[in-house]
């Protein structure tokens, strides 16, 4: 009844009828759902969970919600989904809701599977409320970053023409994905020529701060893990003089010089380096992708 005021008493009466009557098999609230306070709408949806009938249907946002889905929808309306990891079915229910109504303002979710995360990001990209505040695993995800997160999950970020803003968004969402999704163990960012050193440093700083075990980022044609991120960061910041060039570190420096698309300026005057290592550095410089990269040694720029 569109003339109903949907005050507390009326909502309680509707809920009681849903729970106890064998005659209420289907109810459409779509024409009036905007008039019902969210917490009262949640109580009506909860009533469907306790219906004496099994095959009841509730239509709120233009599609039928089954009795099995009602508990998820009620928790969604109350923003009480945090803490329990969403499964594929619950993720589909949440996704359908956020693309169908602009009344959902905030969602706090827990996700452990990359497939579930992908479903949510597809829906977030099409969310009716473009100001939706979604937090997944204690990390905020902006609506405008949903497409990029989908790229990350599909391992489709190499040669993608990503700029510094995209790399900043990647740095912000990387901990959420790498720490909580077992299937997300590497990210290929190589071949993005528009990025600057500041964009790359944001990703490297995130890797070092989060200390994600076993996770690798491909930046310059080779996997960068844990300690290697620190070496690459020093190279981008021209701070290699702080390092003792062990064979492992020298290999990382060589790979960075050869494959980094950005011009590096490496002052190695104060670096503890022997003639053989100098030869290796010059060999890498000769093969460098960026011909503007410079190495300073013996007070001379090469």
């Amino acid at each position: 009844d569109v003339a109903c005021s949907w005050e507390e008493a009326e909502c309680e009466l509707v809920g009681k009828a849903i729970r106890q009557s064998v005659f209420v098999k289907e109810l459409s609230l779509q024409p009036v759902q905007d008039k019902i306070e969210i917490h009262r709408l949640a109580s009506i949806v909860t009533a469907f969970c306790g219906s004496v009938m099994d095959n009841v249907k509730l239509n709120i946002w233009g599609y039928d919600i089954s009795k099995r889905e009602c508990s998820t929808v009620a928790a969604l309306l109350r923003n009480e989904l945090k803490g329990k990891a969403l499964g594929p079915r619950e993720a589909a229910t949440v996704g359908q809701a956020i693309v169908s109504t602009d009344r959902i303002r905030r969602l706090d979710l827990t996700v452990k599977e990359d497939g579930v995360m992908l479903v949510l990001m597809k829906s977030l990209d099409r969310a009716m409320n473009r100001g939706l505040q979604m937090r997944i695993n204690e990390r905020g995800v902006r609506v405008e970053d949903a497409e990029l997160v989908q790229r990350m999950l599909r391992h489709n970020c190499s040669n993608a023409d990503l700029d510094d803003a995209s790399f900043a968004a990647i740095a912000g969402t990387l901990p959420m994905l790498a720490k909580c999704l077992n299937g997300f163990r590497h990210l290929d960012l190589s071949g993005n020529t528009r990025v600057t050193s500041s964009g790359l440093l944001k990703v490297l700083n995130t890797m070092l701060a989060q200390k994600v075990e076993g996770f690798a980022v491909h930046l310059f044609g080779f996997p960068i893990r844990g300690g290697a991120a620190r070496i690459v960061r020093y190279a981008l910041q021209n701070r290699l003089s702080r390092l003792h060039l062990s064979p492992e570190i020298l290999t990382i420096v060589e790979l960075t010089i050869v494959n980094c698309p950005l011009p590096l300026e490496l002052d190695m005057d104060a670096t503890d380096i022997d003639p053989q290592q100098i030869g290796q550095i010059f060999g890498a410089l000769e093969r460098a992708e960026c011909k503007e990269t410079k190495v300073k040694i013996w007070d001379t720029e090469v």
Side-chain angles (χ1 to χ4, degrees):
D1 182 0
V2 294
C4 182
S5 62
W6 294 102
E7 295 297 329
E8 191 73 37
E10 292 168 323
C11 290
E12 287 180 3
L13 183 60
V14 170
K16 187 175 181 180
I18 291 168
R19 284 191 296 270
Q20 298 181 10
S21 173
V22 296
F23 299 108
V24 182
K25 300 178 181 179
E26 187 172 345
L27 181 65
S28 175
L29 296 176
Q30 185 185 4
V32 296
Q33 61 95 9
D34 286 338
K35 298 181 180 181
I36 308 174
E37 295 288 337
I38 284 289
H39 70 281
R40 292 173 185 166
L41 188 60
S43 68
I44 292 174
V45 176
T46 302
F48 262 86
C49 299
S51 171
V52 294
M53 304 292 289
D54 288 329
N55 296 321
V56 291
K57 292 180 181 178
L58 174 66
N59 189 311
I60 303 178
W61 301 306
Y63 64 95
D64 289 338
I65 300 169
S66 67
K67 183 177 180 180
R68 185 169 54 183
E69 297 169 315
C70 282
S71 60
T72 301
V73 174
L76 179 152
L77 290 169
R78 296 187 179 104
N79 193 19
E80 295 176 351
L81 287 170
K82 180 182 175 182
K84 180 182 177 183
L86 292 184
R89 181 175 288 121
E90 293 92 344
T93 301
V94 171
Q96 183 70 54
I98 64 178
V99 301
S100 302
T101 179
D102 61 358
R103 298 195 67 194
I104 299 170
R105 304 283 189 263
R106 181 185 174 95
L107 275 180
D108 293 272
L109 306 172
T110 301
V111 178
K112 299 293 184 183
E113 301 175 32
D114 49 354
V116 170
M117 185 74 78
L118 187 57
V119 168
L120 291 173
M121 291 302 104
K122 287 179 180 178
S123 300
L124 183 61
D125 194 26
R126 299 184 293 119
M128 187 174 287
N129 179 8
R130 306 308 290 175
L132 172 63
Q133 298 178 35
M134 181 179 282
R135 289 182 64 82
I136 299 178
N137 303 332
E138 306 291 348
R139 288 274 177 171
V141 186
R142 302 185 305 171
V143 171
E144 53 266 40
D145 293 334
E147 183 180 359
L148 180 60
V149 178
Q150 290 179 67
R151 277 183 171 272
M152 294 169 69
L153 289 167
R154 293 188 177 113
H155 301 290
N156 190 26
C157 288
S158 62
N159 301 299
D161 202 29
L162 303 179
D163 57 12
D164 274 3
S166 298
F167 269 70
I170 287 171
T173 55
L174 194 58
M176 174 186 71
L177 299 178
K179 276 196 168 182
C180 302
L181 304 182
N182 292 329
F184 191 78
R185 305 313 300 159
H186 77 277
L187 180 63
D188 191 349
L189 297 174
S190 58
N192 289 290
T193 56
R194 291 176 61 200
V195 70
T196 66
S197 59
S198 64
L200 294 177
L201 285 169
K202 285 184 176 71
V203 174
L204 295 171
N205 288 337
T206 297
M207 286 184 65
L208 290 166
Q210 297 298 319
K211 298 179 181 177
V212 182
E213 190 69 28
F215 184 80
V217 168
H218 293 250
L219 276 178
F220 306 138
F222 67 98
I224 299 172
R225 294 182 174 86
R230 182 173 62 95
I231 312 306
V232 175
R233 182 176 67 176
Y234 280 157
L236 289 169
Q237 295 173 329
N238 191 12
R239 295 164 63 198
L240 288 179
S241 58
R242 293 169 170 255
L243 301 175
H244 168 70
L245 292 183
S246 65
E248 294 79 11
I249 291 176
L250 184 60
T251 297
I252 296 169
V253 172
E254 285 183 79
L255 288 168
T256 303
I257 291 172
V258 170
N259 295 294
C260 181
L262 303 173
L264 300 173
E265 294 187 5
L266 306 177
D267 187 348
M268 308 190 74
D269 258 346
T271 307
D272 182 16
I273 187 169
D274 62 40
Q276 183 177 351
Q277 292 174 325
I278 294 170
Q280 290 177 251
I281 293 293
F282 283 166
L285 187 59
E286 190 175 17
R287 305 191 309 276
E289 178 180 330
C290 179
K291 300 306 178 185
E292 297 175 17
T293 290
K294 299 174 183 177
V295 173
K296 183 181 178 185
I297 197 163
W298 304 320
D299 289 325
T300 304
E301 268 191 357
V302 181

